[in-house]
Amino acid sequence: MCYNGRKQTEKELMEELKRTLYLVLDTETATIPEYAQLPEERQKDFAIWHPIIYDIGWLLMERNGNIVKQKSYLVSETFGNVRLFQTAYYKEKRNQYLADWKQGLIKLETWDNIMKELQADMEASGYFCAYNASFDMRAIRYTERYISAVYGDMEVYGRWIEWQLLTEEEKKARGWVKSEHPEETTFSIRGGKPIVLIDIWAVACDFLKNNEKYKAFCYNFRHYNKYFKTNAEIVYRFFMQNDHFEEAHTALEDAKIESWLLTHFIERKKAIKKGITTHPYLMLGSIKSYAEKV
């Protein structure tokens, strides 16, 4: 390859490769066991905002979808905590995970070692990608805090757990001020180099916002509530024309589906949205508005 009219050096070739590698990540999460103390109507929302990772998987792919590396890990500190794992939405998959672990399909590793490898792979990539990326980023950050607390001083841990269970109103009454963060355009972990952030969910919604075939598909198969469903499973069903497809709901396998979707949008030569878009499903409009036209 040439670089500004001259042959690229090995270092320049490596830098070029980094800029063209996409790291696509997915997580499966539980939450703190103490959430069971909360009223039932708060529990689901609590789990969404306090996610603790027990299964994390990612892959590195080239722009054409070619996968050059993939990793799949169970987090020893969380998967091994049976009480915590019982709070997982897919807790019935535990035996499947154990079978996969015994067959060497997934590794059991400490959170610290997983984060070190993820950070190295992020350094080797140009883009950090996930479907509903804000959730996966929140899960990584919250798992960091949880493991730091649970493996620290017991008294400090007790106070930390107590704080988690408070409502926003109760926290504000104790002087807490909610931080307002601008929509992120990059992501980094443990002080590493920030890399460009791609939320594949926002990319999908941007691509499908004017797609009448997708809206008809969702409407006919009842994939909607007040709005069209735009989760990875439904979007993949549309492109595969297979309404019986179900995601594995394990991190690496779901990341593969999400990487396929990202490659599909890249191949359409459409500008790929960067950063986080709040509530991207709103781009498609409401079911009520659609139903009034059909």
Side-chain angles (χ1 to χ4, degrees):
M1 295 179 78
C2 291
Y3 185 78
N4 290 336
R6 60 178 173 79
K7 189 175 180 179
Q8 284 179 292
T9 65
E10 183 177 350
K11 181 178 180 180
E12 288 166 346
L13 283 167
M14 290 302 296
E15 289 302 312
E16 179 68 22
L17 179 61
K18 287 182 183 180
R19 288 194 292 273
T20 57
L21 281 181
Y22 296 75
L23 187 148
V24 183
L25 174 142
D26 191 67
T27 61
E28 297 297 336
T29 64
T31 192
I32 58 173
E34 290 81 357
Y35 95 123
Q37 302 170 20
L38 299 171
E40 190 172 339
E41 62 272 15
R42 274 196 66 200
Q43 290 182 5
K44 183 177 180 180
D45 188 62
F46 183 90
I48 290 171
W49 289 97
H50 302 77
I52 299 172
I53 298 169
Y54 62 84
D55 172 17
I56 184 169
W58 68 87
L59 56 86
L60 271 66
M61 73 171 195
E62 296 172 316
R63 188 177 177 84
N64 63 4
N66 179 50
I67 296 173
V68 299
K69 182 179 183 179
Q70 60 185 38
K71 289 293 178 179
S72 182
Y73 288 115
L74 292 170
V75 181
S76 61
E77 297 95 329
T78 55
F79 182 78
N81 183 332
V82 177
R83 283 187 66 232
L84 185 146
F85 190 82
Q86 284 300 306
T87 71
Y89 189 78
Y90 297 110
K91 59 181 178 289
E92 74 279 0
K93 291 184 178 290
R94 186 171 180 82
N95 287 339
Q96 176 191 330
Y97 278 119
L98 290 171
D100 289 348
W101 171 58
K102 289 176 182 177
Q103 293 179 54
L105 301 177
I106 191 169
K107 292 183 179 180
L108 184 69
E109 187 56 87
T110 65
W111 177 253
D112 186 57
N113 285 341
I114 294 169
M115 286 298 98
K116 286 176 180 176
E117 182 160 13
L118 176 59
Q119 187 174 27
D121 283 347
M122 287 176 65
E123 293 280 346
S125 306
Y127 303 93
F128 176 89
C129 317
Y131 208 100
N132 190 5
S134 60
F135 177 82
D136 294 291
M137 293 190 301
R138 181 164 69 248
I140 290 171
R141 290 162 175 163
Y142 193 76
T143 305
E144 286 266 74
R145 292 196 294 273
Y146 167 77
I147 289 178
S148 176
V150 79
Y151 286 93
D153 182 270
M154 285 302 297
E155 184 178 342
V156 173
Y157 174 72
R159 291 199 300 269
W160 185 81
I161 289 292
E162 179 189 5
W163 182 260
Q164 305 311 301
L165 299 175
L166 297 178
T167 64
E168 283 197 12
E169 290 72 22
E170 290 169 331
K171 289 178 180 178
K172 288 176 182 176
R174 299 189 184 191
W176 174 70
V177 178
K178 186 176 182 179
S179 299
E180 296 295 336
H181 297 291
E183 293 181 347
E184 296 176 272
T185 57
T186 61
F187 181 58
S188 64
I189 58 174
R190 297 187 170 185
K193 180 188 73 173
I195 65 173
V196 176
L197 171 62
I198 295 177
D199 184 356
I200 306 171
W201 186 23
V203 175
C205 290
D206 187 46
F207 187 86
L208 295 168
K209 63 186 177 185
N210 297 316
N211 190 316
E212 295 304 314
K213 289 183 179 180
Y214 181 77
K215 294 179 182 181
F217 168 81
C218 289
Y219 190 73
N220 293 335
F221 286 101
R222 298 185 179 276
H223 297 315
Y224 60 81
N225 35 53
K226 291 182 179 180
Y227 300 94
F228 297 95
K229 289 187 177 180
T230 52
N231 56 297
E233 182 174 271
I234 300 302
V235 174
Y236 189 77
R237 285 184 184 186
F238 169 71
F239 287 117
M240 292 292 101
Q241 290 297 292
N242 175 11
D243 197 52
H244 299 291
F245 170 79
E246 293 184 4
E247 281 190 300
H249 298 296
T250 55
L252 179 60
E253 292 307 308
D254 288 0
K256 290 177 182 178
I257 297 302
E258 292 150 13
S259 67
W260 185 93
L261 289 171
L262 178 59
T263 302
H264 177 82
F265 300 131
I266 291 172
E267 287 176 344
R268 294 302 179 274
K269 302 189 186 308
K270 182 176 176 62
I272 299 298
K273 286 182 68 68
K274 307 299 193 299
I276 297 296
T277 300
T278 305
H279 307 311
Y281 57 86
L282 294 176
M283 296 184 205
L284 282 75
S286 70
I287 282 293
K288 181 180 179 181
S289 297
Y290 179 80
E292 289 172 351
K293 295 186 295 183
V294 297

